Structures are given as C-alpha cells and as structure tokens.
Amino acid sequence: MVVFGSFISLSGLLILLFRNAPMGGLSPAVVGWVLIPLGLVFAGLGVLRNRRKRAQNGPGPVGNPIARLKALPRLWKTWRGGKYPELPRSQVMMWAVALLYLVSPIDVLPEFLPVIGVTDDAGVLVWLLSSLSVASGSYLRWEKDHRDTGRGIEAP
C-alpha cells in the first residue's frame, strides 16, 4: 500500500508538472492536487498497517514466490475440502469480486482518463496478488505445522 500510495502521489506531481490539456473535463491542476494528498493518505495507511503487523509478532507467511504460487492449487483444494479453516470465506469472496472487477468492462474510473483510469485496476491487481501471496504463504506455514507427510513436508 505504501508503494501504491507513492505511485499515486508521484502521478499527481507529474501531472502538475507536465500536463497542460484537460483530463476528462478536469484541469490538470485539480487532478494533480487531488492525487497527491490521496496518495499520501494511502502511503500513510500502508505505514500504519506495516507497523501493526510487526507489533503482532505472530508467525508470518513462509516460502518464496514460486513455492507460494505452486501452493495456490493445494490451498484451494484443501479449503474447498473444509480442511483449512484459517482462510475465511469472506476472503475468497473478495478475491472473486476483485477478479470480476478486473475483467469487467465497468470501472469506477473510466480507462479513457489518462493515468487515473488505470490506477484503480492497478490497485485492485496489486491487492489481489499480495493477498494471494500472503494467503499461500500462511497456507505453507499451516501445511508445515500440520506435518503433511503425504506431501513430504516435515515440521520444523
């Protein structure tokens, strides 16, 4: 979220500096001055979220990106079988909504708006990928802790 917020603020700054033509009927100054504080809010929320996660000191997700990607089908199969209760149904529903939003032609911010038109899609995509990565990393930890000897995974 920090990176996303920084990207939005930087986009606003670049619009202020280099854009002269109206953007979707709005002046570049308005768009730039709206994007800069909006991005700063997102970045600030990301910093607060990261601090809260560090303060919890719980066991974090494990595995590199390739291992996490390979774990997604097993995660889905185990969750569908009811053997992995740590993944809430609401999380899976949010993933489905995010996928529908990404493939849907209907957008909150239309694509014809330069820079901002794709930012909402980029934000949803970043959230979806990071959420899937964290969930599959947590699943790998759960799998490791439950000594799934059928897959050859040993407990630490």
Side-chain angles (χ1 to χ4, degrees):
M1 189 159 349
V2 174
V3 173
F4 180 66
S6 302
F7 175 73
I8 291 176
S9 289
L10 180 63
S11 298
L13 181 62
L14 291 174
I15 288 171
L16 280 176
L17 294 175
F18 299 111
R19 183 87 179 174
N20 293 327
M23 301 175 65
L26 297 173
S27 77
V30 169
V31 173
W33 286 114
V34 166
L35 286 179
I36 290 172
L38 182 67
L40 292 174
V41 166
F42 277 116
L45 289 173
V47 168
L48 291 175
R49 187 179 92 182
N50 290 343
R51 284 184 182 172
R52 188 186 74 218
K53 283 185 178 181
R54 275 190 230 122
Q56 289 175 347
N57 284 336
V62 298
N64 61 38
I66 302 298
R68 290 180 182 198
L69 183 64
K70 288 179 180 179
L72 282 173
R74 293 194 316 269
L75 165 75
W76 178 252
K77 185 178 178 182
T78 307
W79 180 78
R80 292 284 297 156
K83 298 175 187 171
Y84 184 58
E86 295 180 25
L87 180 63
R89 183 179 210 87
S90 61
Q91 184 71 38
V92 176
M93 294 303 296
M94 288 295 293
W95 292 341
V97 168
L99 280 173
L100 285 173
Y101 183 78
L102 288 172
V103 299
S104 169
I106 300 169
D107 263 342
V108 172
L109 297 171
E111 301 300 325
F112 65 83
L113 294 174
V115 181
I116 1 178
V118 295
T119 341
D120 63 330
D121 292 333
V124 170
L125 182 63
V126 166
W127 173 83
L128 178 63
L129 293 177
S130 62
S131 178
L132 285 170
S133 177
V134 169
S136 62
S138 297
Y139 174 74
L140 286 173
R141 174 166 300 287
W142 177 85
E143 198 175 48
K144 191 174 186 180
D145 291 345
H146 284 76
R147 297 181 189 157
D148 189 358
T149 55
R151 297 202 47 83
I153 297 172
E154 298 294 325

